[in-house]
Amino acid sequence: MLISIVLLLFIMAFSKSGVTISNSRSLTDVLRFVLAILVVNGHIWLFYMPESWWQGQFMLGTECVSVFLFLSAYGLINAYGTKGDDYLHGFILHRVGRVLFPLMTTYAVSLPIYAFFMGPIDWSGVWDTLYWGGPYLRFSWYVTEIVVLYLLFYICAKVDVYCHKRGDLLIVLLSGAVLILTTGLFMSRQPVWYINGLPCFILGLWYQRYEAKLIRFLHGWFGKGVAILVIVLFVFFFHWSDVTSYMGVMTRYLYEYASLYFVNILFVLTIAYLIGHSLSCENTPPPPPHTNTSKVLYLRPTRYI
């Protein structure tokens, strides 16, 4: 699998002791751009070139979305740990408006184009399918999901402020709320791509909390070895159907469905290693002993925001 070779090369070539590769916001901006291209291309290959060799190599739509959710969770906790209650002032207008405005703008552009090329628009259908896009703006479900996650964060953060927990309660409450959301989507038989990225949002919350410890633990060649093992497991779960069919074991759809969650988590862990490894380098001092890492002011606290 070509993407695995690329990840291995990045780990071996750039993730070295003392080499800072992500100590600025510019890297995550580039990462988001690349992941967005992969999501778009994945849909193009899936629907228009399903038999293409490239489709099998870079069909990483849900994995890339999981990274977006991971970084969003990381950024929320990082900003709240830095700014505290001040971060919640105007949060709804700023955060939610920042994702809804592009969505409405896209609708305003796409609907006339749809009417011109495809025929009359069923306006009741537009409203009924607004939360996921329907036939007019497919795959916009991510906007709805991220808005729900922002609202859950805001509610949990308000409870945390009221209880004077300074972030300790927030992560627990928000993790529980997202688990309930995940269970609700699963029980209501929603598409798997609505659901299998949500565990990575929870992962982002806890990764930010224990970031410094994880980076120290995964330092040097030991960390590279763990990252390589994660990539091997990622390839295994990514090709679960082919591997298990060849081996003749665990071929039930239940196992294949579970693999869709594991592959996202493993992909996010690999990306997190590449992004976060340099955070423990000499450019960023470690937090004082017995300090909650969610409360640490990093040199560039807004790079994931």
Side-chain angles (χ1 to χ4, degrees), residues 178-209:
V178 176
L179 280 175
I180 293 173
L181 174 64
T182 303
T183 303
L185 291 172
F186 177 79
M187 296 300 292
S188 60
R189 298 181 179 275
Q190 296 299 319
V192 66
W193 52 87
Y194 289 12
I195 311 171
N196 63 351
L198 290 174
C200 297
F201 185 87
I202 298 175
L203 182 63
L205 303 176
W206 292 94
Y207 178 84
Q208 199 283 332
R209 182 183 180 92

Side-chain angles (χ1 to χ4, degrees), residues 74-84 87 95 153 208 301 305:
Y74 181 99
L76 290 171
I77 297 301
N78 190 59
Y80 180 77
T82 301
K83 302 176 183 179
Y87 183 60
R95 277 287 189 172
F153 166 81
Q208 199 283 332
I305 304 170

Side-chain angles (χ1 to χ4, degrees), residues 151-172:
L151 294 177
L152 290 176
F153 166 81
Y154 182 77
I155 295 170
C156 294
K158 279 295 187 180
V159 175
D160 184 85
V161 170
Y162 179 80
C163 296
H164 305 288
K165 294 298 183 179
R166 302 181 62 185
D168 295 329
L169 182 61
L170 168 60
I171 296 179
V172 176

Side-chain angles (χ1 to χ4, degrees), residues 83-112:
K83 302 176 183 179
D85 190 23
D86 292 339
Y87 183 60
L88 302 180
H89 297 162
F91 176 86
I92 299 295
L93 181 63
H94 173 68
R95 277 287 189 172
V96 176
R98 217 170 81 176
V99 294
L100 287 183
F101 179 75
L103 177 67
M104 296 299 103
T105 303
T106 305
Y107 263 111
V109 173
S110 63
L111 287 178

Side-chain angles (χ1 to χ4, degrees), residues 60-79:
L60 297 166
T62 59
E63 290 83 1
C64 294
V65 169
S66 296
V67 177
F68 288 137
L69 292 171
F70 172 85
L71 293 178
S72 295
Y74 181 99
L76 290 171
I77 297 301
N78 190 59

